[in-house]
Amino acid sequence: RDYYASRGLGDVYKRQMLMKTMVIGCGRWGTFIAWYLNYVKQEVILYGRKDSKNMHQLLKNRKNEYLELPLNITLSNELGEVDRVNAIFISVNAQGLEKLCQELNQFNLSGKIVVLCMKGMEASTGRRLSEIVEAVLGRDVHICVWLGPGHVQEYVRGIPNCMVIDSEDYKIKEQLIKELSSDLIRFYYGEDLIGNEIGAATKNVIGIAAGMLDGLGYTALKGALISRGTREVSRLIEVMGGKAVSAYGLCHLGDYEATVFSKYSHNRIYGEDYVLGKEASKLAEGVETVKAVYLLAKKHNIEMPICETVYSILYENAEPKKKLFGLFERSLKKEF
C-alpha cells in the first residue's frame, strides 16, 4: 500500500488474492501486466526466456525504462511455472504466439484461464490470436482477450483509463473483470470477440499511416484518416463474422488517441520514422498485421484502401507521399 501511495496512485480496491497468475512476456506491456496484477493484489510470476535481454535487466535490478517491479513479484526463466497458476496472461510478439502455445502444450493446462494481452493477427494466414490458441491448446482452456487504449508511461503515473475484457465464456469474463478492475483501469464487458480482436489489431495499421502523415508534415489529414479508417475496418469485421459497430468501440476507434496521436505509440512512431528514413527502434505490431489484413481483404474481396496503401509502401516499395495522397484523391463516389 505504501509503495503505491508513494507514487501517487491512490488506494487499490480491497480484495482477497483469488488468482495465482503467470505473465509470459517481459517487454513493455508484459512487465506492466505483471505490475498491474500485483497492484490489484494477485499473486504474480513474470516469465522471460533465459536469453531475453529484458529479463536479464529485470533480474539485475527489477527495473526497465518504464517501471520498477515490487519485490513480491516472482521472476522466472522456467515455463513450467504454469503448473502453479490458474491464470496465464500472454504478451509476446503476435507472430511468435503459435510457437509459444506449442511449448505450453507439454504442460497440463486443462481448466486454466489464458488471457491474451496483445494486439495482432497471424501474418501468413490472417488468423486471430484467440483462434491460434484454440487451435493449439484446444477447448480445455478458457480463452480471453484484454484490449483497449492505454500506455504504460501514463498508467504508472496514476493516469486512469478504460479497457475491455472479452471472451466467449461469460462467467470467466465476469470473474476477470471483477478481479482486475481498479481505480486505475475500469474494464468493460466485451460483446464481440471477433470484432474486438480485429479492431484492436487493425488500429495499429492505421497508426502507421498516421505516423507517415506526421513525418510528411500533413498531420491535419489524420482526421480524415481515422474517420475513413474506422469505416473500412468495420467492413472487415463484418465479413469475418463480427459486428461492424465494434469498429466504433474502445478496441478500435476508442484506441485511436493512444495510437494515432500519442508520442508513446510504437506504430505511429514507426510510420513517422519510415518516411523520414530512420531505423525503427521499437516493435510495431502493425508492420506484420498489415500483411494479414491485405490477405483477408483480397480473400473476401473488400476494399481497404488505407491498409492496402500501408502494405504497398512497406512491402512493394511504393512512394509514401504519392500513395498517401492518392487516398485523398479517390473518386467522391468511392469509400476513402
Side-chain angles (χ1 to χ4, degrees):
R1 189 183 187 93
D2 291 341
Y3 175 87
Y4 300 112
S6 68
R7 285 156 176 75
L9 298 177
D11 289 335
V12 180
Y13 288 2
K14 292 182 179 179
R15 68 188 79 215
Q16 294 179 336
M17 265 189 199
L18 297 181
M19 290 197 299
K20 292 184 177 180
T21 68
M22 180 172 179
V23 179
I24 298 178
C26 55
R28 174 180 62 161
W29 195 247
T31 307
F32 169 72
I33 295 296
W35 181 93
Y36 183 77
L37 291 172
N38 179 77
Y39 179 74
V40 292
K41 305 302 184 185
Q42 307 300 331
E43 184 176 329
V44 187
I45 300 170
L46 175 60
Y47 166 83
R49 296 184 184 277
K50 292 180 180 179
D51 59 355
S52 166
K53 293 182 180 179
N54 291 329
M55 180 55 78
H56 288 170
Q57 180 64 33
L58 292 171
L59 288 169
K60 181 179 179 181
N61 57 20
R62 305 188 70 85
K63 295 180 182 179
N64 58 23
E65 61 182 296
Y66 306 105
L67 54 79
E68 177 181 354
L69 292 175
L71 293 175
N72 55 338
I73 293 177
T74 300
L75 302 178
S76 176
N77 294 131
E78 300 298 328
L79 196 57
E81 295 279 8
V82 293
D83 287 335
R84 295 176 47 201
V85 305
N86 49 31
I88 305 164
F89 294 75
I90 301 177
S91 179
V92 299
N93 183 329
Q95 306 313 311
L97 179 60
E98 182 172 31
K99 181 180 179 181
L100 171 65
C101 288
Q102 290 169 348
E103 293 174 1
L104 287 170
N105 238 346
Q106 64 184 297
F107 306 104
N108 180 14
L109 303 184
S110 180
K112 294 185 187 292
I113 301 169
V114 176
V115 185
L116 296 171
C117 310
M118 44 198 291
K119 303 166 185 176
M121 301 169 74
E122 190 171 54
S124 60
T125 65
R127 285 191 297 177
R128 292 179 289 110
L129 302 185
S130 66
E131 290 181 299
I132 295 172
V133 175
E134 183 175 325
V136 180
L137 299 183
R139 292 182 172 272
D140 287 341
V141 298
H142 305 286
I143 304 170
C144 306
V145 296
W146 172 345
L147 303 167
H151 287 294
V152 174
Q153 296 93 326
E154 294 170 341
Y155 280 130
V156 297
R157 287 165 47 212
I159 300 174
N161 212 324
C162 301
M163 300 190 79
V164 173
I165 289 179
D166 207 346
S167 175
E168 293 179 349
D169 188 324
Y170 184 86
K171 288 184 178 180
I172 296 297
K173 176 166 54 179
E174 183 177 44
Q175 176 191 343
L176 286 173
I177 289 174
K178 287 181 178 179
E179 283 296 303
L180 302 183
S181 292
S182 74
D183 54 346
L184 198 55
I185 301 179
R186 176 178 179 177
F187 285 100
Y188 286 88
Y189 286 76
E191 297 181 341
D192 178 17
L193 184 62
I194 294 174
N196 286 329
E197 281 193 273
I198 293 173
T202 51
K203 64 91 187 177
N204 287 331
V205 180
I206 306 301
I208 290 176
M212 290 178 174
L213 289 176
D214 285 335
L216 293 170
Y218 294 103
T219 297
L221 291 175
K222 289 200 288 190
L225 178 79
I226 63 178
S227 63
R228 302 318 308 160
T230 308
R231 179 67 187 93
E232 74 173 63
V233 169
S234 73
R235 290 198 294 271
L236 178 61
I237 290 173
E238 188 170 35
V239 78
M240 294 293 289
K243 303 173 185 176
V245 71
S246 294
Y248 299 87
L250 261 182
C251 294
H252 187 77
L253 180 60
D255 204 353
Y256 272 5
E257 188 280 331
T259 303
V260 175
F261 296 101
S262 175
K263 63 181 180 180
Y264 301 127
S265 168
H266 286 185
N267 291 281
R268 191 206 61 76
I269 293 170
Y270 182 94
E272 182 174 355
D273 286 348
Y274 187 91
V275 299
L276 293 176
K278 297 180 181 179
E279 185 176 351
S281 60
K282 303 288 187 180
L283 171 69
E285 285 286 4
V287 174
E288 293 296 321
T289 297
V290 73
K291 294 180 183 178
V293 175
Y294 184 82
L295 179 72
L296 292 171
K298 296 301 181 185
K299 177 181 178 181
H300 295 285
N301 195 29
I302 57 173
E303 282 196 285
M304 300 195 69
I306 297 173
C307 294
E308 289 168 6
T309 293
V310 173
Y311 180 88
S312 69
I313 293 171
L314 296 184
Y315 295 107
E316 297 177 339
N317 297 316
E319 202 283 314
K321 185 174 181 179
K322 181 178 179 181
K323 289 297 294 187
L324 287 165
F325 268 60
L327 289 171
F328 301 92
E329 295 171 352
R330 284 167 62 85
S331 167
L332 295 178
K333 294 181 180 179
K334 289 181 175 291
E335 292 287 352
F336 187 73

